[in-house]
Amino acid sequence: MPVSPPLSQKIGSLVAADSSETLLHRDADLPFNSELKLTRHVLADEETLPWDSNTFDMVLSSLSLHWINDLPGVLAQVNNILKPDAPFIGAMLGGDTLFELRTSLQLAEQERRGGISPHVSPLADTRDVGGLLGKAGFKMLTVDVEDIVVDYPDTFALMQDLQAMGEGNAVLGREMGAIGRDVLLANEGIYRELHGNEDGTIPATFRVIHMIGWKEGGDQPQPLKRGSGEVNLKDILEGQ
Amino acid sequence: MQQKTRPIQRFAQAVSKCTAEASVYGKCIVADYNSVHKDKCVNEFMKLKNCYLAAAKGRK
């Protein structure tokens, strides 16, 4: 087995940014902190990236973009702070994430309260993401989708998990008053009936949209013109 | 990790005693979920709620 040095040795400088100071410093005591040049930056406003143009060799975003209201604006800023021909790699929750919870909560509210109000933030659709990246100036786009289905013992365990992920405000931020409790009680029965697994657990779907986009630059490879291919892919794939 | 049981955990524990009632209520809703209106399954819900209240009381 070839031995390669830890990835941290290949990173000159890493800037970590989040609007939550607590989250940003959660792992500040772990050993890796001394092994790479890491700067933490608390964002005063998660929709404003306070860096100069052409600053970074790469920008990563892991499961936080779904909190952004102005996604096109933030993506354009990400494009701006990247150096030419540098990539943005991101993963965000989107599309049908938590569709089970949305549907059953809607039914529960409709039946208990006679109306519905949104409890799960609207999320970007998979097919929107390519367009958004393109509009923000990114080239050579890759967008892929992964559904992660997690089974929970009951809806309360799911909601506690969402809260622990920092994703719970919309659902649990409200007072657990008499009405809230009725809806949660109704929701437990409906969720199980509508989506429940045979073994008594309930599934929750997290749809992760993975994306890669490159800032335009230099002698970056360009996609070939449509119809300009000369080799049939089928010959290559079935050739050997 | 948590010193005391959170309200939602006590809630969940009590509800877990009422799976039969929850299932009846769920079936009532899902039977025709395109025309759910207020109190469509109020009888089934009250049975579920009474069960929950009894279970929540019984734990103390």
Side-chain angles (χ1 to χ4, degrees):
Chain A
M1 287 280 280
V3 178
S4 58
L7 277 177
S8 62
Q9 292 182 11
K10 300 181 184 171
I11 298 173
S13 159
L14 182 68
V15 178
D18 199 285
S19 56
S20 157
E21 182 165 5
T22 318
L23 183 61
L24 204 51
H25 289 83
R26 188 191 63 184
D27 299 332
D29 300 332
L30 299 182
F32 74 84
N33 285 274
S34 58
E35 290 164 17
L36 78 174
K37 198 181 156 216
L38 176 62
T39 322
R40 288 180 167 82
H41 188 105
V42 180
L43 294 171
D45 163 16
E46 74 272 16
E47 307 207 350
T48 309
L49 305 178
W51 291 283
D52 294 334
S53 301
N54 307 315
T55 302
F56 295 105
D57 294 306
M58 178 158 76
V59 172
L60 301 170
S61 168
S62 179
L63 298 180
S64 60
L65 282 178
H66 59 282
W67 281 116
I68 302 288
N69 292 312
D70 179 17
L71 200 49
V74 168
L75 288 175
Q77 291 183 57
V78 169
N79 190 268
N80 181 49
I81 62 176
L82 279 168
K83 292 177 183 171
D85 197 24
F88 164 64
I89 305 179
M92 73 184 289
L93 290 172
D96 290 333
T97 293
L98 296 176
F99 75 90
E100 302 94 341
L101 183 60
R102 289 165 200 252
T103 49
S104 67
L105 265 183
Q106 268 183 19
L107 291 172
E109 284 209 307
Q110 201 143 17
E111 199 272 334
R112 286 292 83 222
R113 306 176 73 183
I116 55 172
S117 57
H119 293 281
V120 183
S121 326
L123 298 170
D125 240 337
T126 312
R127 59 176 176 275
D128 300 335
V129 170
L132 284 171
L133 287 171
K135 270 192 201 135
F138 288 100
K139 305 292 174 190
M140 295 197 299
L141 310 179
T142 310
V143 178
D144 203 358
V145 176
E146 181 183 17
D147 276 353
I148 300 173
V149 181
V150 183
D151 290 338
Y152 288 91
D154 53 50
T155 55
F156 311 107
L158 164 63
M159 288 190 234
Q160 280 187 84
D161 222 22
L162 292 175
Q163 199 176 36
M165 287 161 69
E167 306 291 347
N169 329 31
V171 181
L172 286 179
R174 304 173 320 135
E175 288 293 306
M176 281 259 290
I179 296 174
R181 201 166 279 236
D182 275 8
V183 171
L184 288 184
L185 188 56
N187 179 54
E188 167 73 12
I190 298 169
Y191 198 120
R192 206 173 278 282
E193 191 58 35
L194 201 53
H195 308 290
N197 297 317
E198 293 210 342
D199 64 358
T201 60
I202 55 149
T205 300
F206 295 87
R207 172 160 292 183
V208 183
I209 306 175
H210 298 272
M211 66 196 91
I212 305 174
W214 295 74
K215 182 167 180 171
E216 191 164 26
D219 45 3
Q220 188 174 59
Q222 301 296 318
L224 294 176
K225 253 183 158 169
R226 217 173 256 273
S228 62
E230 288 173 3
V231 181
N232 191 337
L233 202 57
K234 201 175 159 195
D235 294 341
I236 299 175
L237 293 174
E238 293 178 355
Q240 303 278 312
Chain B
M1 226 164 53
Q2 279 155 350
Q3 287 93 358
K4 55 181 190 178
T5 321
R6 300 176 57 200
I8 190 168
Q9 284 166 333
R10 282 202 298 275
F11 186 45
Q13 256 167 34
V15 178
S16 73
K17 305 262 172 23
C18 305
T19 47
E21 287 81 357
S23 169
V24 170
Y25 172 72
K27 281 195 172 68
C28 170
I29 297 285
V30 174
D32 189 6
Y33 58 72
N34 284 319
S35 65
V36 172
H37 51 82
K38 187 159 169 27
D39 293 335
K40 176 176 184 247
C41 303
V42 65
N43 293 331
E44 288 81 357
F45 182 78
M46 288 321 293
K47 278 181 192 147
L48 170 58
K49 186 163 185 183
N50 288 337
C51 168
Y52 153 72
L53 289 173
K57 225 178 187 175
R59 274 196 65 261
K60 284 186 180 168

CSV table of all heavy atoms in Angstrom, one decimal, chain B residues 28-49:
chain,number,residue,atom,x,y,z
B,28,CYS,N,-58.1,6.3,9.9
B,28,CYS,CA,-59.3,7.1,9.6
B,28,CYS,C,-58.9,8.3,8.6
B,28,CYS,O,-59.6,8.6,7.7
B,28,CYS,CB,-59.9,7.7,10.9
B,28,CYS,SG,-61.2,9.0,10.6
B,29,ILE,N,-57.7,8.9,8.9
B,29,ILE,CA,-57.2,10.0,8.1
B,29,ILE,C,-56.8,9.5,6.7
B,29,ILE,O,-57.2,10.1,5.7
B,29,ILE,CB,-56.0,10.7,8.8
B,29,ILE,CG1,-56.4,11.3,10.1
B,29,ILE,CG2,-55.4,11.7,7.8
B,29,ILE,CD1,-57.2,12.6,10.0
B,30,VAL,N,-56.1,8.5,6.7
B,30,VAL,CA,-55.4,8.0,5.5
B,30,VAL,C,-56.5,7.4,4.5
B,30,VAL,O,-56.3,7.4,3.3
B,30,VAL,CB,-54.3,7.0,5.8
B,30,VAL,CG1,-53.7,6.4,4.5
B,30,VAL,CG2,-53.2,7.8,6.5
B,31,ALA,N,-57.6,6.9,5.1
B,31,ALA,CA,-58.6,6.3,4.3
B,31,ALA,C,-59.0,7.2,3.1
B,31,ALA,O,-59.3,6.7,2.0
B,31,ALA,CB,-59.8,5.9,5.2
B,32,ASP,N,-59.1,8.5,3.4
B,32,ASP,CA,-59.5,9.4,2.3
B,32,ASP,C,-58.7,10.7,2.6
B,32,ASP,O,-59.3,11.7,3.0
B,32,ASP,CB,-61.0,9.6,2.4
B,32,ASP,CG,-61.5,10.4,1.2
B,32,ASP,OD1,-60.6,10.6,0.3
B,32,ASP,OD2,-62.7,10.8,1.2
B,33,TYR,N,-57.4,10.7,2.3
B,33,TYR,CA,-56.6,11.8,2.7
B,33,TYR,C,-56.7,13.0,1.8
B,33,TYR,O,-56.1,14.1,2.0
B,33,TYR,CB,-55.2,11.4,3.0
B,33,TYR,CG,-54.4,10.8,1.9
B,33,TYR,CD1,-54.0,11.5,0.8
B,33,TYR,CD2,-54.1,9.5,1.9
B,33,TYR,CE1,-53.3,10.9,-0.3
B,33,TYR,CE2,-53.3,8.9,0.9
B,33,TYR,CZ,-53.0,9.6,-0.2
B,33,TYR,OH,-52.3,9.0,-1.2
B,34,ASN,N,-57.5,12.9,0.7
B,34,ASN,CA,-57.7,14.0,-0.2
B,34,ASN,C,-58.8,14.9,0.3
B,34,ASN,O,-59.0,16.0,-0.2
B,34,ASN,CB,-57.9,13.6,-1.6
B,34,ASN,CG,-56.7,13.1,-2.3
B,34,ASN,OD1,-55.6,13.8,-2.1
B,34,ASN,ND2,-56.8,12.0,-3.0
B,35,SER,N,-59.6,14.5,1.2
B,35,SER,CA,-60.7,15.3,1.7
B,35,SER,C,-60.7,15.4,3.2
B,35,SER,O,-61.7,15.1,3.9
B,35,SER,CB,-62.0,14.8,1.2
B,35,SER,OG,-62.3,13.5,1.8
B,36,VAL,N,-59.5,15.7,3.8
B,36,VAL,CA,-59.5,15.9,5.2
B,36,VAL,C,-59.9,17.3,5.6
B,36,VAL,O,-59.5,18.2,5.0
B,36,VAL,CB,-58.0,15.7,5.7
B,36,VAL,CG1,-57.9,16.0,7.2
B,36,VAL,CG2,-57.6,14.2,5.5
B,37,HIS,N,-60.8,17.3,6.6
B,37,HIS,CA,-61.3,18.6,7.0
B,37,HIS,C,-61.3,18.6,8.6
B,37,HIS,O,-61.1,17.5,9.2
B,37,HIS,CB,-62.7,18.9,6.5
B,37,HIS,CG,-63.7,17.8,6.8
B,37,HIS,ND1,-64.3,17.6,8.0
B,37,HIS,CD2,-64.0,16.7,6.0
B,37,HIS,CE1,-65.0,16.5,8.0
B,37,HIS,NE2,-64.9,16.0,6.8
B,38,LYS,N,-61.5,19.7,9.2
B,38,LYS,CA,-61.4,19.8,10.6
B,38,LYS,C,-62.4,18.8,11.3
B,38,LYS,O,-63.5,18.7,10.9
B,38,LYS,CB,-61.8,21.2,11.1
B,38,LYS,CG,-61.6,21.5,12.6
B,38,LYS,CD,-61.4,23.0,12.9
B,38,LYS,CE,-61.4,23.3,14.3
B,38,LYS,NZ,-61.0,22.3,15.3
B,39,ASP,N,-61.9,18.1,12.3
B,39,ASP,CA,-62.6,17.2,13.1
B,39,ASP,C,-63.2,16.0,12.3
B,39,ASP,O,-64.2,15.4,12.7
B,39,ASP,CB,-63.8,17.9,13.8
B,39,ASP,CG,-63.2,18.8,14.9
B,39,ASP,OD1,-62.1,18.6,15.3
B,39,ASP,OD2,-63.9,19.8,15.2
B,40,LYS,N,-62.6,15.7,11.1
B,40,LYS,CA,-63.0,14.6,10.3
B,40,LYS,C,-63.0,13.3,11.2
B,40,LYS,O,-63.9,12.4,11.1
B,40,LYS,CB,-62.2,14.5,9.1
B,40,LYS,CG,-62.5,13.2,8.2
B,40,LYS,CD,-61.6,13.2,7.0
B,40,LYS,CE,-62.0,12.1,6.0
B,40,LYS,NZ,-60.9,11.1,5.9
B,41,CYS,N,-61.9,13.2,12.0
B,41,CYS,CA,-61.8,12.0,12.7
B,41,CYS,C,-61.7,12.3,14.2
B,41,CYS,O,-60.9,11.8,15.0
B,41,CYS,CB,-60.5,11.3,12.3
B,41,CYS,SG,-60.4,10.8,10.6
B,42,VAL,N,-62.6,13.2,14.6
B,42,VAL,CA,-62.5,13.7,16.0
B,42,VAL,C,-62.8,12.6,17.0
B,42,VAL,O,-62.1,12.6,18.1
B,42,VAL,CB,-63.5,14.9,16.2
B,42,VAL,CG1,-64.9,14.5,16.1
B,42,VAL,CG2,-63.2,15.6,17.6
B,43,ASN,N,-63.7,11.7,16.7
B,43,ASN,CA,-63.9,10.6,17.7
B,43,ASN,C,-62.7,9.7,17.9
B,43,ASN,O,-62.3,9.4,19.0
B,43,ASN,CB,-65.1,9.7,17.2
B,43,ASN,CG,-66.4,10.5,17.2
B,43,ASN,OD1,-66.5,11.4,18.1
B,43,ASN,ND2,-67.3,10.2,16.3
B,44,GLU,N,-62.0,9.4,16.8
B,44,GLU,CA,-60.8,8.6,16.9
B,44,GLU,C,-59.7,9.3,17.6
B,44,GLU,O,-59.0,8.8,18.4
B,44,GLU,CB,-60.3,8.2,15.4
B,44,GLU,CG,-61.2,7.1,14.7
B,44,GLU,CD,-62.5,7.7,14.1
B,44,GLU,OE1,-62.7,9.0,14.3
B,44,GLU,OE2,-63.2,7.0,13.5
B,45,PHE,N,-59.7,10.6,17.3
B,45,PHE,CA,-58.6,11.4,18.0
B,45,PHE,C,-58.9,11.5,19.5
B,45,PHE,O,-57.9,11.4,20.2
B,45,PHE,CB,-58.5,12.9,17.4
B,45,PHE,CG,-57.4,13.6,18.0
B,45,PHE,CD1,-56.1,13.4,17.6
B,45,PHE,CD2,-57.7,14.6,19.0
B,45,PHE,CE1,-55.1,14.1,18.2
B,45,PHE,CE2,-56.7,15.3,19.6
B,45,PHE,CZ,-55.4,15.1,19.2
B,46,MET,N,-60.1,11.7,19.9
B,46,MET,CA,-60.4,11.8,21.3
B,46,MET,C,-60.0,10.5,22.0
B,46,MET,O,-59.5,10.6,23.2
B,46,MET,CB,-61.8,12.2,21.6
B,46,MET,CG,-62.2,13.7,21.2
B,46,MET,SD,-60.9,14.9,21.6
B,46,MET,CE,-61.0,14.8,23.4
B,47,LYS,N,-60.2,9.4,21.4
B,47,LYS,CA,-59.8,8.1,22.0
B,47,LYS,C,-58.3,8.1,22.2
B,47,LYS,O,-57.8,7.7,23.2
B,47,LYS,CB,-60.3,7.0,21.2
B,47,LYS,CG,-61.8,6.6,21.4
B,47,LYS,CD,-62.2,5.4,20.6
B,47,LYS,CE,-63.8,5.3,20.6
B,47,LYS,NZ,-64.3,4.8,19.4
B,48,LEU,N,-57.6,8.5,21.1
B,48,LEU,CA,-56.2,8.6,21.2
B,48,LEU,C,-55.7,9.5,22.3
B,48,LEU,O,-54.8,9.2,23.1
B,48,LEU,CB,-55.6,9.0,19.8
B,48,LEU,CG,-54.1,9.3,19.7
B,48,LEU,CD1,-53.3,8.1,20.2
B,48,LEU,CD2,-53.7,9.8,18.3
B,49,LYS,N,-56.3,10.7,22.3
B,49,LYS,CA,-55.9,11.7,23.3
B,49,LYS,C,-56.2,11.2,24.8
B,49,LYS,O,-55.4,11.4,25.7
B,49,LYS,CB,-56.6,13.0,23.1
B,49,LYS,CG,-56.1,14.1,24.0
B,49,LYS,CD,-56.4,15.5,23.5
B,49,LYS,CE,-55.7,16.5,24.4
B,49,LYS,NZ,-56.1,17.8,24.1
